[in-house]
Amino acid sequence: MTINSVSVRDLSLSFGAVTVLETLNLDVKDGEFLVLLGSSGCGKSTLLNCIAGLLDVSEGQIFIKDKNVTWEEPKDRGIGMVFQSYALYPQMTVEGNLSFGLKVAKLPQAEIDKRVARASEILQIQPLLKRKPSELSGGQRQRVAIGRALVRDVDVFLFDEPLSNLDAKLRSELRVEIKRLHQSLKNTMIYVTHDQIEALTLADRIAVMKSGVIQQLADPMTIYNMPENLFVAGFIGSPSMNFFRGEIKDKGGRKVIEINGVDFAMDAYPARGPMEAGRKVVLGVRPEHVKVDEPGEEIHDAIVDIEEPMGADNLLWLKLAGQTISVRIAGARRYAPGRAVKLSFDMSMASVFDAVTENRV
Amino acid sequence: MAEVVTLNNPSAKAGTVTKLAAGPKGKKPRPMLSPRNIMIYGALIFAAAYYLLPLYVMVVTSLKGMPEVRLGNIFSPPLEITFEPWVKAWSSACTGLNCDGLSRGFWNSVRITIPSTIVSIAIASINGYALANWRFKGADLFFTILIVGAFIPYQVMIYPIVIVLREMGLYGSLTGLIIVHSIFGMPILTLLFRNYFSSLPEELFKAARVDGAGFWTIYFKIMLPMSLPIFVVAMILQITGIWNDFLLGVVFTRPEYYPMTVQLNNIVNSVQGVKEYNVNMAATILTGAVPLIVYFVSGRLFVRGIAAGAVKG
């Protein structure tokens, strides 16, 4: 039996007439790194605040370590939290920030010193202990903020967009550090972000949220390769997946999707159910699953519109079947605009969604 | 290549350099007597003179003896400087039967202002903190009622408060006046503190709650140390407001507890004998000195506090 570290049961939250979360269920396994991913306003931070006990829920229950904490104060829930704006107490030194919670809890000084020393060693912030937060850089501040969660010696870490205020370079550095921290501590971590790269790189599982509802909860590769619906497919991936509206047809015993008069054979697509002819669908293909000028079963002609060299990759925008399609190829292969190319699609990696329900077929 | 050398090292080729340096260079000159400057400085000097002239007349008159005052040249500097009027205003000017000057009023005002300021700021800051951070049920209604209180004219409330204080046995005492001042300061101060605490990052408050701090711990350990500027602002508001108050002082106290402003009025408006303008001027300056000093001393602190808050990352 796997122990659930955090469980959310039928959680609802509304502010007046506005419903932010609706009968939401979520189980986070012990030691799991779960990322709540969504654009702003989708309720991901609200959910995290509910788990932390900073917001009172309207309906439902929250369990941490199989203990019902729905009505508990934040400090009694066994959580540590890291905020986007670091939220360090500006008038205290780093040491004061780390030890504040422990002093409030009236721990013996020897224990406080031990925990502060351990946390500052893990995060390599010993030289900063006597400084004020205003004398630290953004990356150092966020390290201290993580340290403040660390000294609490808790089972569950909650991160609320911790890297959003940092510049790109620091963000990728700290991302690696958080991952390393998780690997060494093996704590449960719930991490809110709108950044899909953070989600894909850090998570054991990702919960993609929209309008207070979890759209898909799965490991990063499943989310990326087999999105459950059109929203998840469009949200994950940069540049985003190419979508074509079309209709399923039966041509000579083969299933094809006809898009603006162009047929795309679907033999290789791992369909979940029968693909009835006449059904309106949306075909989704990621930019890297289109081959350019390589041998393939089915060849489509296209014209290069714009080329975006990005170093390691080269991104081509092409015209196909009256639509614009993006294709990712190796950075060394260059194509001038206006050049005619031959495309072939890897349908085993494609996604097909019902045009009405927007769910995966 | 040659041009690059010339640009980097002007002394290298004198000929080319003169050609390059012929055009405008460095700071753009601005004539002192441009129309713009004349307008700005003219208006400022005029406004400053307009407000400073009465003060000048007061200072000059208070340093003259009565014979000189009777000459009527109010703008002329004193021929013979005397501090007699100041001494008299402070220690022996008569109000009714008492002839011990303004000093009693001064100490009354001190005994009124200090406790009123402390009590009103202490309560209002806690009100503001609770309203900003602990969204209790009915907080909005409570806040609205408090704000409406700020718009009700004093005159409407005076008589009911007189009755309330009489029933409590506090009418005419300093304690009663201190309570009245604290209550009247509440709406505006609460608004001030609530807005300030709302402007502090909410995540700090959340972090403190996760750390296990309660209502008072967060107030004293987290909020107070970050709020020095707003406390200075509130202190300036209260000290000057209460010190300058006349109406509440005259209504709610007995003559022996009259604040300085009321006593000043009694000295200046006494109808018996000669009008001692020099003493009146000295008494007025003495009464206004406290708010003036507060502005000069803490005004600077206050600006520094605001600036410090603004650049904090």
Side-chain angles (χ1 to χ4, degrees):
Chain A
M1 189 188 121
T2 52
I3 305 161
N4 283 328
S5 185
V6 177
S7 295
V8 174
R9 290 272 165 274
D10 298 326
L11 185 74
S12 292
L13 181 80
S14 40
F15 297 117
V18 187
T19 305
V20 186
L21 300 173
E22 210 169 350
T23 48
L24 191 141
N25 284 290
L26 179 66
D27 286 312
V28 187
K29 292 192 205 78
D30 202 18
E32 186 177 31
F33 199 121
L34 182 101
V35 171
L36 299 173
L37 178 66
S39 47
S40 55
C42 71
K44 57 192 192 301
S45 284
T46 311
L47 174 59
L48 198 74
N49 278 313
C50 286
I51 295 171
L54 295 167
L55 280 174
D56 283 340
V57 304
S58 309
E59 288 293 332
Q61 293 173 307
I62 296 165
F63 297 86
I64 294 177
K65 288 267 164 197
D66 292 330
K67 181 177 153 223
N68 188 339
V69 296
T70 314
W71 291 347
E72 299 279 347
E73 280 293 303
K75 66 176 162 79
D76 302 323
R77 295 189 177 205
I79 51 130
M81 193 159 177
V82 180
F83 297 91
Q84 177 179 0
S85 67
Y86 326 126
L88 299 178
Y89 312 125
Q91 70 277 13
M92 300 179 195
T93 60
V94 168
E95 195 174 12
N97 267 284
L98 294 178
S99 58
F100 177 72
L102 307 178
K103 282 188 182 141
V104 170
K106 300 207 166 56
L107 258 63
Q109 188 62 41
E111 175 70 14
I112 295 178
D113 292 342
K114 205 178 89 194
R115 290 205 198 170
V116 170
R118 179 172 161 266
S120 49
E121 194 197 320
I122 292 175
L123 295 161
Q124 297 172 347
I125 49 174
Q126 296 108 316
L128 312 175
L129 283 178
K130 297 293 173 208
R131 291 207 211 161
K132 290 276 179 70
S134 55
E135 297 160 348
L136 304 179
S137 69
Q140 291 170 330
R141 285 182 203 184
Q142 199 51 286
R143 243 177 261 242
V144 176
I146 295 172
R148 199 168 51 182
L150 215 56
V151 293
R152 289 178 55 75
D153 213 5
V154 288
D155 308 311
V156 181
F157 278 19
L158 307 176
F159 292 89
D160 193 356
E161 308 217 18
L163 306 182
S164 301
N165 280 12
L166 300 172
D167 61 53
K169 186 164 173 287
L170 267 175
R171 202 179 307 165
S172 54
E173 278 174 27
L174 226 58
R175 202 171 65 208
V176 174
E177 266 186 57
I178 290 177
K179 187 150 192 169
R180 191 173 292 137
L181 195 68
H182 179 240
Q183 280 172 1
S184 63
L185 295 176
K186 301 197 166 47
N187 285 32
T188 308
M189 293 189 177
I190 304 181
Y191 186 106
V192 163
T193 184
H194 61 263
D195 184 316
Q196 46 169 306
I197 304 295
E198 276 173 32
L200 292 167
T201 51
L202 288 171
D204 293 327
R205 281 194 304 164
I206 299 174
V208 182
M209 288 184 70
K210 182 196 172 192
S211 323
V213 177
I214 294 178
Q215 303 289 319
Q216 185 172 7
L217 174 61
D219 65 279
M221 279 305 107
T222 308
I223 294 257
Y224 188 80
N225 291 323
M226 297 182 73
E228 204 55 42
N229 59 32
L230 207 55
F231 173 79
V232 177
F235 191 79
I236 302 273
S238 172
S240 64
M241 192 183 258
N242 298 296
F243 292 118
F244 305 94
R245 289 194 173 273
E247 195 181 327
I248 297 179
K249 296 223 163 133
D250 221 340
K251 290 199 177 165
R254 293 179 77 189
K255 297 279 186 215
V256 298
I257 296 179
E258 189 188 288
I259 297 152
N260 288 344
V262 183
D263 288 347
F264 293 83
M266 297 309 294
D267 304 320
Y269 177 68
R272 290 194 175 163
M275 297 176 64
E276 314 90 355
R279 193 167 171 185
K280 296 265 190 280
V281 291
V282 176
L283 170 66
V285 184
R286 294 215 176 269
E288 60 269 34
H289 296 146
V290 183
K291 291 197 274 282
V292 178
D293 287 347
E294 279 177 53
E297 265 191 30
E298 194 180 38
I299 301 292
H300 301 279
D301 289 315
I303 305 288
V304 178
D305 191 15
I306 286 176
E307 183 195 27
E308 288 187 304
M310 297 194 290
D313 298 329
N314 195 357
L315 198 63
L316 300 182
W317 296 85
L318 311 119
K319 290 277 184 213
L320 174 71
Q323 291 192 36
T324 303
I325 163 174
S326 63
V327 175
R328 193 198 301 270
I329 55 174
R333 294 174 61 199
R334 303 295 300 270
Y335 285 87
R339 188 167 149 186
V341 293
K342 300 200 177 302
L343 304 181
S344 63
F345 286 68
D346 183 356
M347 287 302 176
S348 65
M349 299 301 285
S351 299
V352 178
F353 306 98
D354 190 287
V356 182
T357 63
E358 300 197 342
N359 288 328
R360 191 181 183 86
V361 176
Chain B
M1 190 61 210
E3 276 111 331
V4 174
V5 170
T6 318
L7 284 172
N8 288 343
N9 185 6
S11 61
K13 268 189 179 180
T16 355
V17 173
T18 20
K19 218 196 260 171
L20 282 170
K25 181 181 160 211
K27 198 175 168 215
K28 189 177 175 185
R30 296 205 183 274
M32 271 301 289
L33 286 175
S34 63
R36 178 170 164 271
N37 279 2
I38 293 173
M39 274 305 292
I40 292 175
Y41 288 102
L44 288 176
I45 290 168
F46 177 77
Y50 182 83
Y51 282 103
L52 280 175
L53 208 57
L55 185 66
Y56 166 77
V57 170
M58 284 172 68
V59 172
V60 165
T61 311
S62 70
L63 295 172
K64 293 173 181 169
M66 268 319 278
E68 216 182 303
V69 170
R70 282 195 201 94
L71 295 176
N73 299 325
I74 61 165
F75 293 110
S76 65
L79 299 168
E80 207 178 319
I81 292 179
T82 168
F83 292 100
E84 196 61 34
W86 288 75
V87 176
K88 189 173 181 194
W90 178 254
S91 59
S92 64
C94 291
T95 57
L97 297 173
N98 303 315
C99 280
D100 47 7
L102 271 176
S103 55
R104 199 158 44 89
F106 174 82
W107 290 114
N108 280 343
S109 278
V110 169
R111 283 159 68 197
I112 294 164
T113 305
I114 290 178
S116 307
T117 304
I118 293 172
V119 169
S120 60
I121 289 179
I123 297 176
S125 62
I126 294 165
N127 277 353
Y129 161 65
L131 284 167
N133 290 315
W134 299 85
R135 305 290 304 158
F136 55 93
K137 204 171 181 185
D140 287 327
L141 180 73
F142 178 75
F143 185 61
T144 314
I145 292 172
L146 207 60
I147 294 308
V148 167
F151 294 103
I152 298 176
Y154 277 18
Q155 293 83 334
V156 175
M157 294 189 273
I158 281 179
Y159 188 53
I161 294 178
V162 168
I163 295 174
V164 169
L165 286 182
R166 191 189 63 203
E167 295 304 310
M168 290 167 73
L170 292 170
Y171 179 65
S173 68
L174 281 180
T175 317
L177 184 59
I178 288 165
I179 292 174
V180 171
H181 275 306
S182 303
I183 292 171
F184 276 111
M186 214 44 62
I188 189 72
L189 288 185
T190 302
L191 177 71
L192 197 73
F193 279 107
R194 175 189 168 272
N195 288 354
Y196 185 82
F197 288 133
S198 302
S199 74
L200 295 178
E202 198 198 352
E203 292 192 337
L204 264 178
F205 173 75
K206 288 183 175 176
R209 282 196 63 196
V210 172
D211 266 344
F215 186 91
W216 295 108
T217 313
I218 296 178
Y219 176 74
F220 284 112
K221 294 269 175 68
I222 310 292
M223 295 297 174
L224 270 197
M226 293 172 65
S227 314
L228 184 67
I230 203 66
F231 274 89
V232 174
V233 172
M235 261 165 60
I236 295 176
L237 272 179
Q238 283 303 85
I239 291 177
T240 56
I242 295 170
W243 192 274
N244 287 335
D245 162 69
F246 180 86
L247 180 67
L248 301 179
V250 81
V251 172
F252 292 103
T253 52
R254 285 192 296 270
E256 67 258 40
Y257 295 134
Y258 276 164
M260 206 173 183
T261 46
V262 177
Q263 237 185 343
L264 170 69
N265 171 69
N266 292 353
I267 289 174
V268 173
N269 286 341
S270 65
V271 281
Q272 296 160 328
V274 230
K275 280 249 182 219
E276 293 179 296
Y277 289 110
N278 51 356
V279 176
N280 292 350
M281 296 293 181
T284 310
I285 296 174
L286 280 173
T287 310
V290 168
L292 265 181
I293 291 169
V294 168
Y295 278 129
F296 277 128
V297 173
S298 56
R300 199 179 277 172
L301 242 180
F302 160 61
V303 172
R304 203 185 301 157
I306 295 278
V311 292
K312 165 202 79 166

